[in-house]
Amino acid sequence: MHYGVELEDYGEKWRQAMKEWTGGYSKRTSDDEEERKFWHDFMKEKKTYRQDEYARPIAQEMEKLISQYHPDTILEIGPGWGNYTFMLAQLCKEMYCTDISGDVLAYIKRIGEERGQTIHTIETKWENYEGSPRDITVGFNCFYRMREIERCLKKINHCSKKLCVIGMTSGPEQAYYREMEQKLGLKIKYHRLDYIYLYNLLYQMGIDCNVKMIRLKKTYTFQTIEEAVERESRRILSEKYDREEVKKILISYLQKGEDGTYFFEHDFCAAMLYWEPQNLIE
C-alpha cells in the first residue's frame, strides 16, 4: 500500500455491519453462553455427517491450494459441522480445531473417529486462543461474532507458519429480493457482513492477500407457491406490503419440478483469501 493512501476505518464498518437491523448486537453475538446454547441445541439434530452442497466447490479449491504446502499441522477455526474439516484432516499429519462450543467439537471428534481420523480439539473462542502456531490456519464463515476483528486477523497471521486461508460466502442475494426492493419499495434484510471488509482490513495491516472467487449454486425448493411466499417474505423488513404483489414477483422466478414442487436456482459466490504469514509492524 502506498503510504499516502487514505482508507476508512474498516474495523468499525465491520462492527456496524455485525449489528441487527434494529440496532445493537444480537444475544448470540454479545453473550458467549447464548452462542454455546445455540450450538448445543443445533448439534443435537446432527447425528451423521453430510457436506453441504454449496461447500463442495469451496473445499475443492481449498484442497488444491493447501496440498501444495504439504502441511504437517492444520488448525481450523470454528469448524461448524465439518464442511471442510475432514478434507483438511486428510492433508496433514495432525488436525486441530478450535471453537467456543464443546458440542461442536464433540461432534467433529466423533465423526472424525468414525472416519478413522484423529482430530485434536481446543474449546475456546478465537479471541482467547493461546495454542502453538500450526503450519496452516483455516477459517471459513467463522467471523460472524468477532467484534475485535483486527486482533482476530492478526492472530491468524501470527498462528500460521506456512499459509493463512480464510473466507466467506458472499452475494449476490436472490434476484427477486432486488426486484421487490426496486418495484415495490420494500426494505429487505440483506446480509451485511462480507469478505470485502476482511480484504481491506488485511490491506491496511500491510498484507496483500490473494483472492479466489468461487462460483456457487444453491437450489431452494418449496412444496407450494404459498410456502415460497411465506418463507421468502421473512426477510422483508417493511411492516406493510401487498402480499399478492410479492407473490407475483416470486412466481416469475420459480420453476416447477416434475414432482410438482417449485424451485429456484440461486447463483452466488464465495471468496477465499489466502496469504503466507508476514511480520507485521504493530
Side-chain angles (χ1 to χ4, degrees):
M1 180 175 74
H2 291 299
Y3 293 125
V5 174
E6 294 185 7
L7 298 174
E8 298 180 59
D9 186 341
Y10 285 102
E12 187 55 33
K13 280 186 168 292
W14 173 270
R15 283 179 280 278
Q16 289 301 316
M18 286 180 68
K19 292 182 178 180
E20 299 286 280
W21 282 83
T22 52
Y25 295 109
S26 68
K27 287 184 177 180
R28 281 182 60 195
T29 299
S30 57
D31 188 334
D32 290 347
E33 287 306 313
E34 284 290 331
E35 179 71 355
R36 291 188 184 96
K37 182 179 182 302
F38 169 84
W39 286 108
H40 174 75
D41 296 338
F42 185 91
M43 298 311 294
K44 283 192 297 188
E45 306 300 320
K46 285 284 183 181
K47 305 301 181 185
T48 59
Y49 170 69
R50 183 180 180 183
Q51 186 183 48
D52 289 327
E53 185 177 351
Y54 80 85
R56 290 172 193 160
I58 300 171
Q60 289 168 359
E61 293 295 335
M62 202 182 286
E63 182 177 8
K64 282 195 292 187
L65 170 66
I66 292 175
S67 61
Q68 300 174 50
Y69 286 80
H70 307 289
D72 288 328
T73 57
I74 295 178
L75 170 65
E76 185 182 17
I77 306 165
W81 48 94
N83 270 326
Y84 314 105
T85 310
F86 310 112
M87 174 276 294
L88 293 170
Q90 294 176 339
L91 302 180
C92 63
K93 295 177 181 177
E94 293 185 349
M95 180 71 197
Y96 297 83
C97 289
T98 182
D99 198 279
I100 193 174
S101 167
D103 294 282
V104 164
L105 296 177
Y107 170 84
I108 292 294
K109 199 172 187 68
R110 176 175 64 82
I111 299 298
E113 289 172 353
E114 291 175 3
R115 297 166 66 92
Q117 298 173 326
T118 299
I119 298 176
H120 307 284
T121 58
I122 306 150
E123 187 176 342
T124 184
K125 64 180 182 178
W126 183 240
E127 291 88 335
N128 299 333
Y129 177 79
E130 296 180 350
S132 302
R134 310 298 174 185
D135 286 342
I136 294 178
T137 303
V138 176
F140 212 95
N141 281 345
C142 62
F143 302 97
Y144 57 90
R145 66 189 304 268
M146 293 185 184
R147 279 186 281 180
E148 298 177 69
I149 189 63
E150 301 94 332
R151 186 162 70 88
C152 291
L153 292 175
K154 287 179 182 178
K155 184 174 285 192
I156 290 172
N157 183 74
H158 294 325
C159 287
S160 309
K161 297 178 183 178
K162 293 184 176 182
L163 184 70
C164 309
V165 183
I166 66 173
M168 298 177 68
T169 47
S170 185
E173 279 135 325
Q174 295 92 316
Y176 45 75
Y177 287 128
R178 200 64 166 169
E179 187 167 342
M180 291 176 194
E181 180 183 53
Q182 294 175 340
K183 288 189 175 180
L184 305 182
L186 300 183
K187 188 174 182 181
I188 305 298
K189 187 178 181 179
Y190 289 126
H191 296 292
R192 296 192 294 185
L193 285 180
D194 205 1
Y195 79 93
I196 198 65
Y197 295 118
L198 303 180
Y199 177 84
N200 281 299
L201 279 164
L202 290 169
Y203 183 71
Q204 287 179 311
M205 291 176 193
I207 296 174
D208 288 313
C209 69
N210 302 282
V211 181
K212 172 71 176 180
M213 300 306 297
I214 305 164
R215 302 300 163 185
L216 306 174
K217 186 183 292 287
K218 182 175 181 179
T219 301
Y220 292 84
T221 304
F222 312 95
Q223 295 301 312
T224 64
I225 295 292
E226 289 305 317
E227 182 191 353
V229 175
E230 174 63 28
R231 279 169 50 185
E232 300 308 278
S233 295
R234 293 171 186 170
R235 289 177 64 184
I236 297 175
L237 293 172
S238 304
E239 292 185 7
K240 296 181 179 180
Y241 60 91
D242 189 325
R243 184 182 174 89
E244 287 303 311
E245 290 299 317
V246 168
K247 184 176 179 179
K248 286 179 185 177
I249 290 175
L250 270 175
I251 288 174
S252 69
Y253 286 89
L254 297 178
Q255 300 179 59
K256 192 169 185 178
E258 294 180 358
D259 60 355
T261 62
Y262 295 86
F263 66 94
F264 172 75
E265 291 188 338
H266 179 207
D267 294 305
F268 62 112
C269 65
M272 185 172 71
L273 284 56
Y274 59 98
W275 70 96
E276 294 183 358
Q278 301 178 29
N279 293 321
L280 301 180
I281 299 174
E282 300 295 337

